[in-house]
Amino acid sequence: MNQLPLAELLLTDLAPRETAGQAPRHRLVYESIRRAILSHHLPVGAKLPSTRDLARDLGLSRNTVLTAFEQLLAEGYVKAQTGSGTFVADTFPDTQDAVASEHRALPDPGSAAAAPAGQARARLSKRGNRLTHIAAGSRFEIQPFAPGDADFSIFPFKLWQRLQNKYWRDAVPELLDYGSAGGYLPLRRAVADYLRVSRSVRVSTDQVLITAGTQQSLSLAAQLLADAGDLAWVEDPCYWGARRVFEACDLLLRPVPVDAEGMNPQADDLPTEPRLIYLTPSHQYPKSVVMSLSRRRLLLDLAARKAAWILEDDYDSEYRYAGRPLSSLQGLDTRDRVVYLGTFSKVLYPGIKIGYMVLPPALVEPFKSALYDLQRPGQMMLQAALADFIEQGYFATHIRKMRLLYGERRELLRKTLAPILGSAATISSEESGLHLAILLPPDCDDVALAGRAADEGLSVRALSSYYLGTSRERGLVVGYAYVATEKIAYYGRLLGNVVKAGLSG
Ligand SMILES: Cc1ncc(COP(=O)(O)O)c(C=O)c1O
């Protein structure tokens, strides 16, 4: 096939989608070519134009087309032959894959995409409308620099399969039933042992409740500890997942500013009476700061005086690259005001959907029974395999390995970005977590910058979009964990140049 027909086909196909503004351009190009292949407009063996020519014909940057081609290559729609070009592959991914990849392109919940053209919008509750209009997280998580993603491609899958097979071979009936005990006992024990030693959490096995991840833990805590209209103090900027849960429970959110020492209640916050205080003290999400000891004491004191519950989200504390591991806030609490939340998403893989809560003793029974009534928890086979994974030392080994790798990627990214950005930006220096924050001048449009980065196939998020209050710092939140070490410099330069061009343009 010559080059013009494909460019023409793509231009016709892309135009209406581009104006709908739903997805980054490289994604639109990828989807367009994929449609052309699946509908046989591009037959097996057809040669695709070079990325340079196609980019010129479409009026797009070459990187945009390159990113689209890379995705098609990765999914097996096309194959590259060194020296002769890129061709439509003769084996299509099966329908399941095509469907799965369709689902990756989640519609922006607040946009018209939630209701396809010509279809009436569903009538939602007031809460439903409110929820679907909050700025959500990234639509394309698995792209370079998506904040919060761990590199699960390195997870020891063979070993994991072996540990699970052991339980599937016997298929013990109790492990196939719902779990009414707050989780598989050996897993609760293993979590308690781990947290006591690694995070200085004061915990007995009885206090550990296994959940389907932090999102579910937050939801349970909000439902059981606060009523509609109650006040929740949240960090400003705040993790959008927590914000969504509180909104879903009809809580009123009070954004409390975060400074270099963590949440910093102001004079006008102090008279208010929160039922919940949501904190990420080990590594503030998204600003990256670590909460100081004096701030920890202040907040524990405030919570005790106001009879508020602190929800401590210790989501990525396993990753500290310098100095001693930080203790949890819960470990300092002598008045049982802290509910500690942890997750396996950041160490194993996000889809595992297993997390845990450490509850003050008085909350254990109510939470256990509510978890059973509201969620009907299960996945006991998975929990059993995970208990073995921890008890047999694989968990600790995996954390050590990933800590080294992420530390290296973090350093490389900082070293790549610093000379490009110079004094125009400040890169967060905390030695922990899976992301860093690039702070930018107050007059910069970080949302537009994130959009430009997305055009280059980079999934960074605007810092200002995490804020609830009126004062919004500008910057970008950049996850470095899921970028292969050898690609950090390439993508880092790409990002650095996008930011630099945006700041000077
Ligand atoms: C601040 C924060 N808490 C918790 C989580 C993980 O939650 P879950 O266990 O539901 O995957 C994330 C994931 O991105 C996060 O960023």
Side-chain angles (χ1 to χ4, degrees):
M1 146 172 265
N2 68 26
Q3 295 176 7
L4 208 54
L6 177 60
E8 261 173 21
L9 185 77
L10 294 186
L11 280 172
T12 330
D13 192 47
L14 285 173
R17 295 172 207 277
E18 281 226 302
T19 43
Q22 290 166 15
R25 286 200 192 107
H26 65 88
R27 187 75 193 181
L28 295 175
V29 173
Y30 149 82
E31 282 171 355
S32 217
I33 300 179
R34 194 180 67 115
R35 262 190 300 276
I37 294 174
L38 289 175
S39 62
H40 302 285
H41 271 98
L42 278 175
V44 169
K47 184 176 182 193
L48 264 55
S50 73
T51 51
R52 192 181 303 278
D53 288 346
L54 192 56
R56 188 201 52 227
D57 291 341
L58 296 176
L60 296 172
S61 83
R62 181 149 176 242
N63 275 326
T64 302
V65 177
L66 262 176
T67 309
F69 271 40
E70 268 172 21
Q71 187 70 22
L72 291 162
L73 263 173
E75 293 183 12
Y77 288 95
V78 298
K79 55 185 185 214
Q81 276 168 18
T82 321
S84 45
T86 306
F87 298 83
V88 176
D90 59 0
T91 47
F92 293 150
D94 64 29
T95 333
Q96 286 300 326
D97 286 348
V99 170
S101 104
E102 200 73 68
H103 280 231
R104 281 227 171 288
L106 296 178
D108 183 347
S111 79
Q119 194 177 311
R121 260 176 179 275
R123 188 164 180 275
L124 302 180
S125 65
K126 283 190 196 120
R127 187 191 308 112
N129 275 322
R130 215 174 42 244
L131 281 174
T132 52
H133 279 84
I134 305 171
S138 165
R139 282 164 288 160
F140 309 107
E141 294 285 350
I142 307 185
Q143 287 197 144
F145 299 143
D149 278 350
D151 191 347
F152 40 87
S153 67
I154 298 173
F155 184 64
F157 295 106
K158 283 234 164 64
L159 165 72
W160 187 234
Q161 201 175 15
R162 183 161 59 71
L163 293 175
Q164 289 193 77
N165 283 349
K166 176 181 130 194
Y167 289 98
W168 280 111
R169 261 197 305 276
D170 299 340
V172 186
E174 301 88 83
L175 295 184
L176 294 170
D177 200 357
Y178 298 123
S180 58
Y184 183 63
L185 183 61
L187 178 60
R188 293 167 58 214
R189 196 182 303 127
V191 167
D193 291 345
Y194 163 68
L195 292 177
R196 218 177 289 120
V197 174
S198 303
R199 309 290 309 120
S200 310
V201 174
R202 297 166 192 245
V203 55
S204 68
T205 303
D206 290 347
Q207 290 171 266
V208 177
L209 196 68
I210 304 296
T211 65
T214 298
Q215 206 64 9
Q216 188 180 78
S217 305
L218 284 168
S219 183
L220 206 55
Q223 289 176 80
L224 292 191
L225 301 177
D227 289 307
D230 278 349
L231 198 62
W233 281 8
V234 295
E235 297 168 322
D236 200 27
C238 179
Y239 170 49
W240 56 268
R243 178 180 169 187
R244 296 206 132 208
V245 165
F246 300 147
E247 299 249 2
C249 292
D250 296 314
L251 305 190
L252 300 179
L253 300 189
R254 187 169 183 93
V256 179
V258 170
D259 65 13
E261 294 186 65
M263 180 185 269
N264 182 19
Q266 305 292 292
D268 59 342
D269 295 318
L270 294 175
T272 66
E273 295 295 333
R275 287 291 290 150
L276 302 179
I277 303 177
Y278 169 75
L279 297 173
T280 49
S282 301
H283 185 226
Q284 205 276 332
Y285 193 89
K287 272 187 74 176
S288 288
V289 300
V290 176
M291 187 179 280
S292 68
L293 185 59
S294 62
R295 208 54 73 66
R296 285 170 193 242
R297 293 221 167 94
L298 173 93
L299 284 156
L300 285 170
D301 243 36
L302 272 170
R305 272 195 282 121
K306 292 176 179 292
W309 298 102
I310 289 181
L311 306 181
E312 176 180 14
D313 181 353
D314 212 14
Y315 63 106
D316 67 3
S317 56
E318 289 81 9
Y319 302 116
R320 186 151 174 83
Y321 309 113
R324 288 155 53 87
L326 292 169
S327 303
S328 62
L329 180 64
Q330 193 267 12
L332 289 175
D333 176 25
T334 51
R335 288 163 285 190
D336 284 345
R337 300 313 307 173
V338 179
V339 174
Y340 177 92
L341 317 174
T343 178
F344 288 101
S345 293
K346 310 289 178 190
V347 178
L348 306 189
Y349 55 99
I352 190 170
K353 291 310 305 170
I354 300 184
Y356 44 88
M357 310 178 82
V358 175
L359 295 155
L363 295 183
V364 171
E365 282 314 316
F367 270 67
K368 219 187 256 184
S369 79
L371 177 69
Y372 188 71
D373 285 345
L374 298 174
Q375 307 291 347
R376 285 288 186 274
Q379 303 279 28
M380 303 303 273
M381 294 282 205
L382 205 57
Q383 293 191 24
L386 180 52
D388 288 350
F389 188 76
I390 300 174
E391 279 168 1
Q392 293 171 23
Y394 299 117
F395 184 64
T397 307
H398 190 59
I399 291 178
R400 274 198 301 275
K401 175 175 167 186
M402 299 315 281
R403 195 184 284 141
L404 276 176
L405 201 65
Y406 296 154
E408 198 184 354
R409 291 177 185 183
R410 176 186 184 81
E411 220 17 63
L412 261 172
L413 180 61
R414 288 170 53 84
K415 279 199 178 120
T416 308
L417 287 173
I420 302 177
L421 299 180
S423 59
T426 310
I427 304 171
S428 60
S429 57
E430 279 73 20
E431 299 293 339
S432 54
L434 300 174
H435 72 272
L436 44 83
I438 303 177
L439 302 179
L440 297 168
D443 57 345
C444 134
D445 184 350
D446 56 357
V447 176
L449 266 185
R452 261 173 247 155
D455 284 345
E456 301 295 339
L458 306 175
S459 193
V460 297
R461 296 202 202 129
L463 179 58
S464 64
S465 66
Y466 290 87
Y467 280 84
L468 284 87
T470 46
S471 145
R472 290 167 183 242
E473 236 175 316
R474 311 289 147 161
L476 294 175
V477 183
V478 185
Y480 44 79
Y482 198 78
V483 186
T485 312
E486 61 278 10
K487 292 195 173 159
I488 288 265
Y490 170 76
Y491 285 123
R493 273 196 300 275
L494 196 58
L495 177 63
N497 289 330
V498 167
V499 176
K500 195 172 158 192
L503 290 180
S504 57

